[in-house]
Amino acid sequence: RWTEIFFNRKGLPRYRKERNTKIISSIIDESEIPNYGSEDIAQLFKKKEIFSFPKPHQLLIHLLSFFADKDALVLDFFSGSGTFAHAIMEMNFKYRGNRKYIMVQLPEETPADSEAYKAGYNNICEIGKERIRRAGKKIKEEHPEVADTLDTGFRVLRLADSNFNPGVKASPSDYNQQQLDLFANNIKTDRNDLDLLFGSILAWGLLLDLPMETEEVDGCKIYTVNEGDLVACFAEKVTDKVIEA
């Protein structure tokens, strides 16, 4: 909740005290919370040069502690190396809870002469994904008592256009008989089963983080989302056994 500011007769700002309002100090003790996160990167990647000027995850934990309760959802539209995800996982370990995060980052390419590129990270997103993996693994290795209960898993989704070829939404009258063969396969050639599955999840109005299971029947993969909210198979030849399953 924002603190409402008004001015008294002398023109000096005063703050109306509200229930549940938290005043956050602008002074942070650097002896307890560092103002740079290079050490975080060094511990996880064994090199400080993998990512320049990362935020320290301890600082984000400090700021999140003011408003991110145990079921908070944090959105970072400029996630960089994934510091917020690191902070959320550590908060869930330290203070318990089921905080979640959504990290959004353009796949900005790393310079060809950079340590990140030499290490195999072609863009910032690759660094962020690897940091989240390593940070989650580090927390569980250092605290084996929570290894079976702390959720450090995550899904990576890539924003893309439709899975279907442009002609799918056209009216039949827009084409002649000779052109219909062009749309015998209405799926774009560069799409796979998971592309189609998550496209269906969105079209079905389901959440993207729901649990998912796969099984193979008669050589075909069957995907089950959230214990049956959506069941799908995208094999070219679906047999009777698959339909029965």
Side-chain angles (χ1 to χ4, degrees):
R1 180 180 297 179
W2 296 100
T3 300
E4 183 176 338
I5 302 176
F6 64 98
F7 294 86
N8 62 17
R9 292 180 181 178
K10 295 182 180 180
L12 298 176
R14 296 176 59 195
Y15 299 87
R16 190 179 74 182
K17 293 183 178 180
E18 296 182 8
R19 185 178 298 174
N20 297 328
T21 297
K22 296 179 181 180
I23 306 300
I24 301 176
S25 173
S26 60
I27 300 174
I28 296 176
D29 187 352
E30 193 177 330
S31 66
E32 297 181 2
I33 301 174
N35 63 3
Y36 57 90
S38 298
E39 192 59 34
D40 288 343
I41 296 295
Q43 288 181 6
L44 294 173
F45 290 89
K46 311 306 178 187
K47 289 183 179 180
K48 290 185 178 181
E49 298 80 10
I50 292 292
F51 191 87
S52 300
F53 307 111
K55 298 179 290 291
H57 80 283
Q58 299 97 321
L59 173 61
L60 298 188
I61 290 175
H62 171 73
L63 297 176
L64 286 167
S65 67
F66 289 99
F67 63 87
D69 59 29
K70 64 179 182 178
D71 295 313
L73 174 62
V74 176
L75 170 65
D76 184 358
F77 262 119
F78 302 92
S79 60
S81 67
T83 309
F84 257 118
H86 186 170
I88 288 294
M89 288 189 293
E90 191 153 320
M91 286 187 77
N92 284 339
F93 155 65
K94 284 185 175 180
Y95 310 119
R96 301 298 182 263
N98 188 35
R99 299 166 188 83
K100 298 181 179 180
Y101 57 81
I102 299 175
M103 304 286 102
V104 183
Q105 177 62 50
L106 290 172
E108 180 182 333
E109 294 183 355
T110 53
D113 60 348
S114 66
E115 290 296 326
Y117 187 87
K118 295 175 184 176
Y121 306 112
N122 297 329
N123 59 59
I124 292 178
C125 297
E126 297 301 319
I127 298 174
K129 288 186 288 186
E130 186 61 21
R131 177 183 183 165
I132 298 172
R133 294 187 191 102
R134 295 189 182 206
K137 181 180 179 181
K138 182 173 183 290
I139 293 171
K140 288 188 173 184
E141 286 179 347
E142 293 178 350
H143 306 280
E145 70 276 9
V146 299
D148 294 332
T149 57
L150 182 66
D151 184 4
T152 60
F154 65 101
R155 282 182 180 159
V156 180
L157 301 175
R158 174 174 51 86
L159 189 63
D161 53 9
S162 170
N163 288 315
F164 301 100
N165 288 315
V168 171
K169 294 184 179 180
S171 170
S173 61
D174 294 336
Y175 302 97
N176 58 43
Q177 189 65 37
Q178 286 71 35
Q179 291 175 307
L180 294 181
D181 288 342
L182 297 173
F183 306 106
N185 185 357
N186 59 7
I187 305 298
K188 292 180 179 176
T189 56
D190 63 340
R191 304 304 162 92
N192 58 36
D193 279 8
L194 289 179
D195 294 328
L196 298 175
L197 176 64
F198 280 93
S200 301
I201 289 173
L202 289 173
W204 214 249
L206 301 176
L207 298 177
L208 293 171
D209 63 347
L210 292 174
M212 182 178 70
E213 296 179 348
T214 62
E215 62 176 316
E216 189 166 318
V217 176
D218 217 10
C220 300
K221 274 191 175 181
I222 300 175
Y223 301 89
T224 303
V225 179
N226 204 33
E227 298 182 351
D229 284 353
L230 172 65
V231 181
C233 178
F234 304 102
E236 290 188 9
K237 296 181 180 179
V238 178
T239 65
D240 289 342
K241 288 184 179 180
V242 175
I243 295 172
E244 289 171 4

